[in-house]
Amino acid sequence: MSAIVAATAGAAVIAATPASGAASTLGAAAQQSGRYFGTAVAANKLGDSTYVGILNREFDMVTAENEMKMDATEPNQGQFSYGNADRIVNQARNQGKRVRGHALAWHSQQPGWMQNMSGTALRNAMLNHVTQVASYYRGKIYAWDVVNEAFADGSSGGRRDSNLQRTGNDWIEAAFRAARSADPGAKLCYNDYNTDNWSHAKTQGVYRMVQDFKSRGVPIDCVGFQAHFNSGNPVPSNYHTTLGNFAALGVDVQITELDIEGSGSSQAQQYQGVTQACLSVARCTGITVWGIRDSDSWRASGTPLLFDGSGNKKAAYNSVLGVLNNGTGTTTPTTTTTTSGNPGGGGCTATYSEGEKWSDRFNGNVTVSGTDNWVVTVTVSSPQRVIATWNTSATWGSANVMTARPNGSGNTFGFTVQHGGNWNWPTVSCQVG
Ligand code: G2I
């Protein structure tokens, strides 16, 4: 959205707040900013009408929780089995949903025959598996987790030891190349856990690998952050930094397996923080939760999901939906202009543009034209607060209304808004002083 308003007599104010949708489902709310909201799905629950009802209503992306893993799709070497995976893919696609593929190559959940292999035989078997499965689903998968969990926990920042790793350090890039050949239209992701905190060695190790892959032309399009959180592994306050730094390497980032153990408002706040972190990064293309109801979770006792065991929406659901609905302003419009005429002739125009964004605050910039003697009114909406200004002399009419005047620094000034979860743009209007 952008607007140009002629500088004529009389006040003309264009609301700088973008149309804020009030979507009532997670998928529809995420779509307002071009993102998706997905869930892991288990084939054996597709007969549960409560489960399928929530799935069909709320989510627009689906990941098979176990059914596309190596042990499920190639139980015997060279014999592929897609029955359960197909049930999930077909159910999703019939409902107009997209599918994330999980996972082509992983040290875990290997079929028995593969667990006993090594060397060239294992490398070739892995590459054949990647080629066969990605070819079978060619054109039906939005993004593949090509390689899952290949980095070590702890302080090393290096690779995890596994039979695949022992076939040579280039096994990951070989898998990505095979996947690209088999399904050139799918986004190809590296996916891992404990990579959310920017200061962790594992995060840095994955970052260096992606940087290396991009510099050498290895076909990687995205990085998945599993995001399994609990009190021992809380949502990091620097999550937006992590997502933003990876995105700056030229890849999409996605939250791929989100769940947060806990309950009530504390759990809701953490879900809010993760959602905000994704919305604050333009290339964070979507969020997937790892299951629908608490009772569907791989760690059900931690009640880590958005619906309770009966399928009721939890506080965490409402907080995620609220952030998705308020977050649309962060990526859609780029400039908005407001103008007020000057009864003596002439007028001025104030143009707002977005600045940097963080999980708790964002910057805005205002450029004034038409006069050097301006008075710009900036109005923020609750619970937003302006917490800093530059290149202007500012006074406050009320906590939400700031009056900005020149301070000799020119006709562009800026300010920082602590947003409290409200990402709507401030309104700006200009008068000749
Ligand atoms: O462990 C949580 C996730 C971590 N990232 C990769 C994901 O693929 C992983 O998902 C979980 C599934 O949610 C579990 O459902 O992966 C586990 C296996 O690594 C899955 O657990 C398995 C059990 O180990 C099997 O005994 C069981 O037969 O689920 C199978 C199907 O219910």
Side-chain angles (χ1 to χ4, degrees):
M1 179 176 74
S2 69
I4 305 296
V5 179
T8 52
V13 176
I14 307 289
T17 307
S20 169
S24 59
T25 66
L26 299 167
Q31 283 170 23
Q32 295 173 108
S33 65
R35 295 181 171 85
Y36 65 81
F37 205 97
T39 181
V41 168
N44 64 9
K45 296 195 172 126
L46 290 176
D48 176 333
S49 59
T50 305
Y51 181 88
V52 174
I54 301 171
L55 167 62
N56 289 350
R57 186 184 76 220
E58 295 286 344
F59 300 98
D60 60 354
M61 183 73 76
V62 159
T63 306
E65 186 174 358
N66 288 296
E67 294 77 354
M68 284 192 186
K69 292 173 180 175
M70 299 177 101
D71 58 351
T73 49
E74 196 178 356
N76 301 301
Q77 188 169 13
Q79 288 181 3
F80 291 84
S81 162
Y82 297 111
N84 285 330
D86 281 348
R87 274 189 264 290
I88 291 174
V89 171
N90 293 338
Q91 202 277 344
R93 286 167 57 82
N94 287 341
Q95 292 284 325
K97 304 179 197 307
R98 292 182 290 172
V99 178
R100 289 192 86 264
H102 173 79
L104 292 171
W106 190 16
H107 70 275
S108 181
Q109 279 183 286
Q110 292 181 358
W113 61 266
M114 185 180 272
Q115 292 172 25
N116 298 323
M117 291 178 86
S118 63
T120 308
L122 173 60
R123 173 68 69 95
N124 290 339
M126 180 274 288
L127 292 175
N128 183 55
H129 180 88
V130 170
T131 299
Q132 295 295 326
V133 177
S135 299
Y136 179 83
Y137 285 111
R138 180 186 301 142
K140 295 183 173 173
I141 302 295
Y142 163 71
W144 268 111
D145 291 334
V146 178
V147 169
N148 196 37
E149 301 177 2
F151 275 72
D153 292 310
S155 59
S156 79
R159 298 284 181 86
R160 171 197 298 278
D161 179 51
S162 71
N163 60 350
L164 290 168
Q165 181 62 29
R166 289 191 291 272
T167 70
N169 208 49
D170 63 342
W171 75 276
I172 297 181
E173 59 194 87
F176 274 83
R177 291 199 168 94
R180 180 67 99 224
S181 300
D183 187 1
K187 289 181 186 287
L188 304 182
C189 301
Y190 176 78
N191 191 54
D192 214 329
Y193 66 90
N194 283 353
T195 49
D196 314 283
N197 191 321
W198 179 241
S199 65
H200 282 181
K202 188 170 176 181
T203 310
Q204 295 295 315
V206 174
Y207 179 84
R208 282 191 298 272
M209 179 187 74
V210 176
Q211 190 174 42
D212 171 53
F213 280 11
K214 292 301 284 185
S215 75
R216 290 190 295 112
V218 177
I220 184 168
D221 308 303
C222 38
V223 176
F225 297 81
Q226 293 186 8
H228 295 294
F229 296 114
N230 58 23
S231 56
N233 177 35
V235 179
S237 60
N238 62 18
Y239 208 5
H240 57 287
T241 303
T242 305
L243 298 176
N245 286 345
F246 273 88
L249 292 175
V251 289
D252 290 346
V253 294
Q254 299 164 359
I255 311 271
T256 53
E257 304 181 14
L258 177 61
D259 54 18
I260 307 175
E261 291 187 324
S263 62
S265 59
S266 133
Q267 182 182 49
Q269 266 178 5
Q270 294 176 75
Y271 264 102
Q272 176 175 319
V274 173
T275 310
Q276 284 172 348
C278 180
L279 290 181
S280 72
V281 174
R283 290 196 74 162
C284 183
T285 57
I287 298 174
T288 294
V289 287
W290 206 239
I292 296 180
R293 300 162 301 196
D294 285 334
S295 49
D296 301 317
S297 170
W298 66 294
R299 45 181 187 174
S301 62
T303 61
L305 294 173
L306 300 178
F307 295 87
D308 69 19
S310 306
N312 300 309
K313 296 170 182 173
K314 295 167 58 181
Y317 172 97
N318 292 324
S319 74
V320 170
L321 185 68
V323 175
L324 292 172
N325 272 325
N326 279 330
T328 55
T330 60
T331 54
T332 30
T334 51
T335 62
T336 298
T337 302
T338 68
T339 305
S340 177
N342 170 6
C348 62
T349 300
T351 302
Y352 176 82
S353 60
E354 290 184 312
E356 219 177 333
K357 304 178 199 76
W358 298 271
S359 61
D360 61 333
R361 65 197 194 284
F362 61 81
N363 285 347
N365 299 296
V366 177
T367 303
V368 182
S369 62
T371 180
D372 293 335
N373 183 24
W374 40 267
V375 180
V376 172
T377 305
V378 176
T379 307
V380 299
S381 51
S382 184
Q384 294 175 340
R385 286 286 177 273
V386 176
I387 57 171
T389 64
W390 54 93
N391 296 344
T392 184
S393 140
T395 55
W396 273 265
S398 72
N400 287 350
V401 180
M402 176 176 89
T403 303
R405 292 187 165 82
N407 73 349
S409 306
N411 289 339
T412 297
F413 67 96
F415 52 90
T416 301
V417 176
Q418 181 180 295
H419 57 65
N422 174 1
W423 290 91
N424 287 340
W425 284 16
T427 57
V428 295
S429 66
C430 186
Q431 288 195 308
V432 178

